[in-house]
Amino acid sequence: MATTYNTEMQNRSGMFAGLVSAVRGFEARRSVYNRTLMELNALNDRELADIGIHRSMIAQVAKEAARQTN
């Protein structure tokens, strides 16, 4: 009986830890997305052209930057 209880508690602890890890990962990716979006939107069209980005591409570039975040 005690073994079953301990196993269930370990499973719940592991699930909770996984959930916390997933939320932290989401927050990190969201932060990168928002920061990238803000920084690229602050550039003028000439500066964006210099780095090969059109204003219509900003959201996609920010999504890609967030996707590459660990």
Side-chain angles (χ1 to χ4, degrees), residues 1-65:
M1 184 73 150
T3 303
T4 302
Y5 176 76
N6 287 338
T7 302
E8 285 181 28
M9 290 304 292
Q10 288 174 345
N11 287 343
R12 288 184 183 165
S13 290
M15 288 175 22
F16 182 72
L19 178 62
V20 169
S21 178
V23 169
R24 286 184 179 154
F26 172 79
E27 289 174 344
R29 287 187 301 277
R30 190 60 162 170
S31 176
V32 169
Y33 173 82
N34 287 335
R35 188 173 57 248
T36 304
L37 198 65
M38 184 179 67
E39 290 176 4
L40 290 176
N41 274 320
L43 299 177
N44 64 38
D45 290 338
R46 175 63 187 252
E47 292 167 325
L48 287 171
D50 286 346
I51 60 174
I53 297 173
H54 186 270
R55 191 158 298 279
S56 66
M57 299 167 57
I58 290 176
Q60 186 61 36
V61 170
K63 285 179 191 175
E64 185 60 33

